[in-house]
Amino acid sequence: MKRLNIMLTWQKVVITGLAVFAGASVTVYEMNAATKAAGAKASTVSAEDGNAGSESASNESTGERRQNSRDSQTPKPNRLPECYASLQKAQKKLSQMSDYSATFTLREWVAGEMTEKQPVGLRIRHKPFSVHMTWIGKGREAVYVEGKNNNKLVIKPGGLASLVGTLVLDPAGDTAMKDSRYPITEAGMLTLIEKLIAYQKPLLKDLNGVTCEQSINRCEGEDCDRYVLTYDAPSICDGYAR
């Protein structure tokens, strides 16, 4: 099968963020050091020259503050159309792939609580839609094949629960959904992208109610576009807030 490496943990993001802040701290320190050195040198000139220099610096500082204030008031462009176009490209690319495998970290908000991080091996086939999930280190497996087993989910429990044998469940039933927010029938990158496209398409008409910002992030050694969408209210997007 083709392999698609996916990292959905926050660790790399945090490390990147710390690196940025560390770089900013060094820059601020160097600027402060340069300011102090300039101040020490200026103390050797006459009081008159010093006052003139102080007045000039004050005027520059005031001008910089005004410029920063204007910059902060300038609205950032809404990148939603760019995000939507990127999703369409990803949808087309994934649709051309017959199958792929991935390892990801599963963590969901279920019944008002955040579940523990679970490393999961995932294999997806698009036609017929098939999913094979393996919980790494726990021995648990789940298999779903569209059109097979009466469209039921087949689960092999791990640990002591494996004594009960293989379970055949309704993928959207209470037992199968006990520890999951979404059914296995919605697993995979293509299904997720199609869901995001469906949420965003109606908003392209006036862009009201959603803010979309874009930035460049390093991921696996490559520059990648990162889009963050923030919805103003649940009525605009009932599935996501940000």
Side-chain angles (χ1 to χ4, degrees), residues 158-171:
L160 294 176
S162 62
L163 297 175
V164 303
T166 302
L167 303 176
V168 180
L169 306 171
D170 176 2

Side-chain angles (χ1 to χ4, degrees), residues 2 4 21-22 30 45 105 116 126 139-140 145 148 159 161 163 182 185 200 214-215 222 225:
K2 298 186 182 104
L4 181 64
F21 287 131
E30 291 174 347
V45 301
T105 298
E116 295 181 0
H126 290 140
R140 181 185 178 187
V145 180
K148 298 291 185 179
L163 297 175
Y182 301 101
T185 53
Q200 294 183 20
Q214 179 265 349
S215 61
E222 300 287 343
D225 288 310

